[in-house]
């Protein structure tokens, strides 16, 4: 698992000595901004640069004085879990004027600052680019006015700009996800889940307004994540006569025994004539046409509030470190860039290309070129919209194709939040494709016992928000019962199989593939979706359920750390799940600001434990009074949680005391996060479309026969794309003894966690973001929405 020596190692190649970096947050606030500020400050200090806070955004840069302060390591402690922005944000009219930018340039030059990290929306980043372009002229003016020395023009000749997009709307082209979007979705889904219970009690219709003046991302994804009946967004206004269609759908849902309706409206929703569609208009329409008890809820600034989600903390930390790297590598000719996320990979894209494309979206909407506006938003947005239409709007029976294929879906392994969203998506897409869908209860145990029944469209209504596995799931593998399973497949004429689960599901699919030699019943298209909190399945960077588990870990760590607030110095030892896979401990550690995370993949000894204790002892001598250490449950059979707790307690005696906590099965429980609902929904829809294609391809002489490797696949996210991979080809990538992949992408995040906890370590930058063009940075076949 160690990094090869041949790779470019960061600390040997890059140095920030003599450089001054300033970080500011501008425009609207977004959860996760503090995580980005913390990462910029700590990475900047780590490489030897001076780092400055600019308080109150561009206003603070113009006003100078105490608004521009040097940052220390301790000054960003305990801010990772805070919402908003600790260094403040403000709209600044003065910076839009030449005089204002002249004052700002003077304030920066006085402190030797020529590297700016700007966290904000497109307006803030556009302002930064203009500032960069004017920089040399501004310095010459300052010399003429006698405010700076002539040699300063040469010394500070170029201003370097790197941006990170902090915006809850996810309205910036060039990145799959902006900092704050996932947290805003958490707030929306919390409210929707709460509203659903009261709406169901009274048989009510709720019309919810969410933010998104120019972008419908929040409305669209929250609609996907909660199974809303109708969604109205600015990029794709409804067809003329939508009012009647919407009322027909609401009425049909009620007739189908659904006790509530949810309609989500983006605040910028418009009709085909660019006329606003308000929540009040929608409410009055429902009351007038249907007489339903209808209420309006406007979420407003609730969406900006609260603590950042695990996803936003990790995104912000990764982007902050990448921004410092970009500043260190920049030259006088490097254009201002934005650090962004494509699939699961950091990329750098020219700032103005992103801004221009974002403006193109608005232009297309103004000119009623709505299809083009959706495409310009990016493949992620486009696929969210396609998936929503596929799942929300049921075609009449007469319009459905008739394929005469039977497809079975089952869950295998431990339960994971998001499994139900994946099952719902599979059932509805399957029905839309003309198949008969069958649900198998209790995994392969239920399969061989014949617990198989047909499921209809309405049977999976309301499943997206349910945790656990409503179908039931068991760890039983099929090998011992293969004959009985084949018998049941014959009995129900099963033509394709979709398995949703963890490592047991992977092993099961391999066993079924091998059983093809003896049983023709298994010569059918078979697909697996990874769903496990441990994220230990080969062939995918992410698994359904892991994000929900991370949020449970991070939320608990926040509370545990808060419990020590105002007490004496204290270190917490926290045990996470994951089997032999250290994903939850590592990524949870990065998201909660841990000082160390012990995992099986990175062996450790007593010397390292001792070094960690000494590190924490030094830390406790500063103003920092809390420490956090995560331990994966199977990281070492001898260095148990109790052992580490006792060691830290003994060695830290007189400096800090210790507490331990085993998080246990709470990591598997709870409602699925928006990410897991959306991820499960989208990959399941893609899997069912693949199944349909394979069924057609392999249907010969009145029956399905598929025995090639590529008809038995796992669908996983790899870097930027969702990829179907034959399970038999993944065998060589797998450590079956420890039930983990041999190569794991997230191990590259471990040095980040150590750097941000003030450890000296090597950092591999061979895979860091390279400058790309925004129009080319998404592969043709990629419909990856977002990834860690």
């Amino acid at each position: 698992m160690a990094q090869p020596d041949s790779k470019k190692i960061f600390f040997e190649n890059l140095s920030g000595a003599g450089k001054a970096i300033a970080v500011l947050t501008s425009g609207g606030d977004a959860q996760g901004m503090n995580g980005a500020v913390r990462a910029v400050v700590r990475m900047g200090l780590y490489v030897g640069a001076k780092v400055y806070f600019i308080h109150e955004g561009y206003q603070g840069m113009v006003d100078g004085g105490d608004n521009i302060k040097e940052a220390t390591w301790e000054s960003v402690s305990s801010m990772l879990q805070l919402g908003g922005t600790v260094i403040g944000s403000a709209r600044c009219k003065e910076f839009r004027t030449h005089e204002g930018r002249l004052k700002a340039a003077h304030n920066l030059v006085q402190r030797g600052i020529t590297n700016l990290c700007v966290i904000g929306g497109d307006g803030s980043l556009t302002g930064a680019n203009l500032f960069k372009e004017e920089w040399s002229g501004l310095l010459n003016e300052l010399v003429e006015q006698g405010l700076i020395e002539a040699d300063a023009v040469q010394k500070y000749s170029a201003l370097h700009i790197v941006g990170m997009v902090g915006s809850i709307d996810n309205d910036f082209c060039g990145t799959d996800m902006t900092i704050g979007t996932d947290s805003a979705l958490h707030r929306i889904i919390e409210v929707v889940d709460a509203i659903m219970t009261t709406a169901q009690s009274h048989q009510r219709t709720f019309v919810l307004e969410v933010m998104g003046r120019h972008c419908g991302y929040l409305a669209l994804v929250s609609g996907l994540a909660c199974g809303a009946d109708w969604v109205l967004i600015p990029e794709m206004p409804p067809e003329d006569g939508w009012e009647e269609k919407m009322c027909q759908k609401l009425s049909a849902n009620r007739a189908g025994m659904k006790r509530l309706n949810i309609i989500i409206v983006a605040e910028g929703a418009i009709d085909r004539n660019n006329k606003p569609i308000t929540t009040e208009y929608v409410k009055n329409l429902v009351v007038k046409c249907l007489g339903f008890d209808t209420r309006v809820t406007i979420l407003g600034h609730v969406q900006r509030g609260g603590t950042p989600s695990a996803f936003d903390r990790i995104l912000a930390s990764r982007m902050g470190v990448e921004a410092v790297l970009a500043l260190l590598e920049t030259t006088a000719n490097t254009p201002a860039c934005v650090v962004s996320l494509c699939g699961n990979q950091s990329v750098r894209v020219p700032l103005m290309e992103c801004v221009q494309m974002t403006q193109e979206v608005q232009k297309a909407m103004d000119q009623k070129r709505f299809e083009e506006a959706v495409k310009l938003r990016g493949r992620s947005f486009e696929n969210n919209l396609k998936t929503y239409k596929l799942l929300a709007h049921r075609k009449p029976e007469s319009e459905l194709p008739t394929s005469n294929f039977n497809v079975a879906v089952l869950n295998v392994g431990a339960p994971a939040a998001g499994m139900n969203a994946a099952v719902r998506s599979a059932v509805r897409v399957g029905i839309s494709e003309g198949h008969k869908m069958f649900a198998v209860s209790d995994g392969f145990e239920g399969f061989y016992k014949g617990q198989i029944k047909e499921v209809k469209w309405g049977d999976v209504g309301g499943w997206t928000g349910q945790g656990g596995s409503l179908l039931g799931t068991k760890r039983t593998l099929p090998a011992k019962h293969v004959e009985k399973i084949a018998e049941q497949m014959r009995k129900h004429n099963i033509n394709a199989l979709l398995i949703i689960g963890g490592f047991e599901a992977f092993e099961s699919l391999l066993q079924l593939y091998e059983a093809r030699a003896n049983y023709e019943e298994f010569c059918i298209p078979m697909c697996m979706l990874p769903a496990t909190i441990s994220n230990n399945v080969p062939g995918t960077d992410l698994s359904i359920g892991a994000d929900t588990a991370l949020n449970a870990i991070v939320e608990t760590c926040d509370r545990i750390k808060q419990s020590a607030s105002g007490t004496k110095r204290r270190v917490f030892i926290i045990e996470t799940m994951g089997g032999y896979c250290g994903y939850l401990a590592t990524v949870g550690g990065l998201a909660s600001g841990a000082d160390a995370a012990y995992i099986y993949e990175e062996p450790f000894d007593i010397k390292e434990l001792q070094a960690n204790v000494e590190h924490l002892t030094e830390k406790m001598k500063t103003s920092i009074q809390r420490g956090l250490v995560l331990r994966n449950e199977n990281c070492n059979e001898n260095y148990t949680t109790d052992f580490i707790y006792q060691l830290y307690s003994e060695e830290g005696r007189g400096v800090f005391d210790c507490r331990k906590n085993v998080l246990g099965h709470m990591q598997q429980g709870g409602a699925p996060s928006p990410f897991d609902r959306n991820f499960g929904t989208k990959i399941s829809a893609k899997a069912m479309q693949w199944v349909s294609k394979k069924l057609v391809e392999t249907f010969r002489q009145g029956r399905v026969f598929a025995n090639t490797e590529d008809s038995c696949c796992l669908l996983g996210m790899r870097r930027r794309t969702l990829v179907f991979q034959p399970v038999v080809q993944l065998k060589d990538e797998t450590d079956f003894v420890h039930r983990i992949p041999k190569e794991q992408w997230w191990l590259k995040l471990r040095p980040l966690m150590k750097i941000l906890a003030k450890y000296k370590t090597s950092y591999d930058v061979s895979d860091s973001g390279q400058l790309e063009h925004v129009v080319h940075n998404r592969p043709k076949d990629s419909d990856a929405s977002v990834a860690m």
Side-chain angles (χ1 to χ4, degrees):
M1 296 296 176
Q3 295 164 352
D5 295 334
S6 60
K7 288 194 174 181
K8 179 182 168 191
I9 299 299
F10 164 73
F11 204 60
E12 297 167 7
N13 287 276
L14 292 170
S15 171
K19 293 203 173 189
I21 299 170
V23 58
L24 70 145
T25 53
S26 177
D29 63 308
Q31 307 97 319
M33 279 183 164
N34 289 322
V37 170
R38 171 182 177 268
V40 169
V41 169
R42 291 197 166 175
M43 189 62 174
L45 293 173
Y46 181 83
V47 299
K50 270 191 171 184
V51 187
Y52 292 85
F53 291 133
I54 299 179
H55 292 272
E56 311 307 333
Y58 286 117
Q59 190 65 57
M61 198 192 294
V62 171
D63 294 342
D66 287 343
N67 288 303
I68 305 176
K69 285 182 181 172
E70 193 170 345
T72 64
W73 195 273
E74 289 74 26
S75 61
V76 291
S77 293
S78 302
M79 68 189 284
L80 186 59
Q81 70 272 23
L82 300 177
T85 166
V86 167
I87 59 174
S89 181
R91 311 277 179 192
C92 180
K93 287 182 182 175
E94 203 174 348
F95 189 75
R96 293 176 191 171
T97 67
H98 184 78
E99 292 73 20
R101 292 192 291 276
L102 191 66
K103 284 183 191 175
H106 185 218
N107 287 326
L108 294 187
V109 169
Q110 280 183 313
R111 294 162 179 83
I113 299 168
T114 55
N115 297 280
L116 270 188
C117 186
V118 181
I119 307 164
D122 61 337
S124 305
L125 298 174
T126 305
N129 191 67
L130 176 62
F131 194 37
K132 174 185 167 67
E133 288 173 353
E134 290 183 349
W135 181 257
S136 57
L138 293 170
L139 294 197
N140 287 327
E141 279 187 59
L142 291 170
V143 170
E144 287 169 18
Q145 293 177 18
L147 293 171
I148 60 173
E149 298 296 327
D151 64 350
V153 176
Q154 186 64 36
K155 191 176 178 183
Y156 307 116
S157 59
L159 179 67
H160 307 297
I161 304 281
V162 172
M164 283 180 274
V165 191
S167 163
I168 68 165
D169 294 336
N170 203 29
D171 58 353
F172 193 80
C173 294
T175 185
D176 281 349
M177 204 69 158
T178 57
I179 295 167
T181 304
D182 187 68
S183 301
L185 284 170
H186 272 258
R187 299 296 91 77
I188 294 168
I189 294 305
E190 283 164 14
V191 171
V192 173
D193 284 353
I195 278 174
M196 276 180 159
T197 56
T198 181
Q200 207 156 20
S201 302
H202 296 276
Q203 294 197 56
R204 280 185 177 142
T205 295
F206 268 87
V207 185
L208 275 84
E209 181 185 287
V210 301
M211 282 185 168
R213 220 171 325 153
H214 305 293
C215 178
Y217 185 88
L218 290 178
L220 179 57
V221 175
S222 57
L224 254 181
C226 72
D229 297 272
W230 204 268
V231 171
L232 294 158
I233 59 171
E235 290 89 347
M236 187 49 70
E239 300 288 344
D240 291 342
W242 64 273
E243 293 95 337
E244 189 182 338
K245 285 181 186 172
M246 184 185 78
C247 289
Q248 282 173 355
K249 186 183 179 197
L250 297 179
S251 184
N253 283 349
R254 283 292 175 93
M257 304 304 290
K258 189 175 178 185
R259 292 177 59 85
L260 76 156
N261 302 113
I262 299 286
I263 301 164
I264 297 182
V265 183
E267 62 179 325
I270 50 172
D271 64 16
R272 291 266 152 182
N273 299 308
N274 284 338
K275 184 183 168 189
I277 299 174
T278 65
T279 49
E280 205 58 38
Y281 176 76
V282 175
K283 175 197 166 183
N284 293 337
L285 182 70
V286 175
V287 171
K288 183 183 171 186
C289 296
L290 301 173
F292 290 172
D293 184 2
T294 306
R295 305 295 165 95
V296 169
T297 298
I298 297 173
L299 270 64
H301 282 74
V302 163
Q303 296 157 89
R304 288 195 188 279
T307 59
S309 66
F311 183 96
D312 272 329
R313 298 183 197 198
I314 295 152
L315 177 66
S317 298
R318 286 179 72 185
M319 297 298 101
V321 168
E322 188 65 42
V324 173
L325 292 180
L327 285 171
L328 294 180
E329 292 171 6
T330 195
T331 65
N333 300 320
T334 307
C337 74
V338 174
V339 175
S340 67
L341 186 76
C342 181
N344 192 28
Q345 200 175 3
S346 299
V347 292
R348 302 173 195 170
V349 283
L351 190 155
M352 288 316 292
E353 281 186 21
C354 298
V355 169
Q356 281 156 13
M357 189 168 276
T358 304
Q359 290 168 350
E360 280 295 316
V361 177
Q362 191 58 50
K363 201 182 293 180
M365 284 158 60
D366 292 342
Q367 294 171 2
K368 302 183 184 179
R369 293 180 283 118
F370 299 114
E371 297 281 349
E372 191 180 334
V374 169
K375 280 188 168 61
L376 286 167
R377 275 273 178 243
R379 199 160 285 275
S380 162
F381 188 93
E382 196 177 356
N383 279 287
N384 277 319
L385 186 57
K386 281 180 187 170
T387 308
Y388 177 76
K389 285 179 176 177
L390 205 58
L391 297 172
H393 302 295
R394 185 184 182 183
K395 291 177 183 174
E397 297 284 339
S398 56
E399 289 180 29
L400 289 174
T402 49
S403 69
N404 297 319
F405 292 124
N406 294 346
V407 181
V409 59
L410 68 158
N411 295 334
V412 177
M419 276 182 163
N420 298 321
V423 171
R424 169 186 176 267
S425 178
V427 168
R428 291 197 169 179
V429 173
I431 290 169
S432 297
E433 302 269 328
H435 310 317
K436 267 190 178 178
M437 297 300 297
F438 289 82
V440 182
S441 300
D442 297 335
F444 283 106
E445 191 173 307
F447 211 135
Y448 80 79
K449 290 177 180 176
Q451 294 169 214
I452 304 165
K453 64 174 185 178
E454 188 181 350
V455 275
K456 302 285 190 183
W457 185 281
D459 296 336
V460 290
W463 277 35
T464 51
Q466 300 286 318
S469 165
L470 292 172
L471 285 185
T473 181
K474 294 281 176 73
R475 295 179 184 270
T476 308
L477 298 179
K480 289 180 182 176
H481 313 285
V482 86
E483 193 172 329
K484 288 182 179 177
I485 293 168
E487 190 183 312
Q488 290 296 335
M489 291 183 79
R490 272 197 308 277
K491 183 180 174 183
H492 293 91
N493 189 27
I494 301 299
N495 306 119
L497 210 54
L498 181 67
I499 303 172
I500 302 165
F503 202 87
E504 290 90 353
F506 173 63
E507 290 180 301
S508 298
L509 207 48
L510 280 171
Q511 290 177 3
L512 295 182
Y513 176 80
E514 285 161 10
R516 281 176 168 180
N518 300 314
Y519 298 91
E520 282 196 357
E521 288 81 2
F522 302 117
C523 293
I524 58 173
M526 296 187 282
C527 186
M528 176 200 158
L529 302 180
T532 164
I533 69 164
S534 303
N535 199 28
N536 63 331
V537 177
T540 187
D541 290 353
L542 287 168
S543 301
I544 299 164
D547 183 72
T548 305
L550 277 176
N551 278 289
I553 290 166
V554 166
E555 194 177 318
T556 307
C557 286
D558 285 353
R559 291 185 179 189
I560 286 170
K561 285 201 290 186
Q562 194 178 42
S563 72
S565 162
T567 66
K568 59 183 180 178
R569 296 176 174 89
R570 184 163 286 169
V571 174
F572 297 94
I573 316 293
I574 296 174
E575 183 185 297
T576 66
M577 291 174 93
Y580 284 96
C581 180
Y583 177 81
L584 291 178
T586 295
V587 182
L590 181 61
S592 55
D595 296 278
Y598 300 118
I599 62 170
Y600 166 77
E601 294 91 340
E602 199 173 277
F604 59 97
D605 55 21
I606 195 71
K607 288 178 187 172
E608 186 168 339
L609 288 169
Q610 183 62 36
N612 292 153
V613 173
E614 288 168 5
H615 180 85
L616 278 161
T617 304
E618 282 303 307
K619 175 180 168 177
M620 294 295 175
K621 290 175 183 174
T622 66
S623 59
I624 299 169
Q625 297 197 341
R626 284 165 289 175
L628 190 65
V629 174
L630 270 61
R631 178 189 176 275
N632 163 253
E633 59 184 347
N634 288 346
C635 66
N636 189 294
E637 61 180 328
N638 295 314
Y639 299 139
T640 62
T641 302
D642 281 337
F643 177 90
I644 292 172
Y645 163 70
Q646 287 165 1
L647 175 74
Y648 272 67
S649 296
E650 181 60 34
E651 296 297 316
R653 196 186 297 276
V655 181
F656 59 81
D657 65 356
C658 259
R659 294 288 184 273
K660 65 176 175 178
N661 196 299
V662 177
L663 299 184
H665 282 78
M666 61 154 289
Q667 295 158 88
Q668 278 184 320
S673 67
F675 182 97
D676 279 331
R677 298 182 195 198
N678 189 27
F679 187 52
T681 298
K682 284 173 71 175
I683 68 166
S684 189
K686 189 173 176 70
M688 280 308 302
Q689 288 167 333
W690 176 88
V691 164
S692 295
K693 185 181 164 202
K694 287 290 177 189
L695 283 167
V696 172
E697 285 175 6
T698 57
F699 186 70
R700 297 285 181 275
Q701 298 172 337
R703 68 176 205 146
V704 173
F705 186 82
N707 66 348
T708 54
E709 287 183 0
D710 68 352
S711 62
C712 183
C713 285
L714 178 148
L715 174 57
M717 172 174 278
R718 287 217 148 161
R719 293 167 73 86
R720 302 191 185 193
T721 51
L722 289 171
V723 189
F724 289 95
Q725 301 146 99
V727 288
V728 72
Q729 292 178 16
L730 293 172
K731 282 172 78 172
D732 291 340
E733 298 180 23
T734 309
D735 173 353
F736 283 94
V737 174
H738 298 101
R739 298 158 58 88
I740 54 174
K742 289 177 182 173
E743 295 289 329
Q744 304 194 81
W745 70 273
W746 51 264
L747 286 168
K748 289 187 176 180
L749 298 181
R750 285 186 64 78
L752 295 193
M753 188 191 71
K754 291 178 181 178
I755 286 167
L756 298 177
K758 213 175 184 178
Y759 286 92
K760 289 293 177 190
T761 185
S762 293
Y763 181 49
D764 176 6
V765 294
S766 59
D767 198 32
S768 68
Q770 302 302 313
L771 194 64
E772 301 183 8
H773 292 288
V774 66
V775 288
H776 298 137
N777 76 341
R778 275 151 184 74
K780 238 180 182 178
D781 62 340
S782 169
D783 65 351
S785 60
V786 287
M788 268 309 304

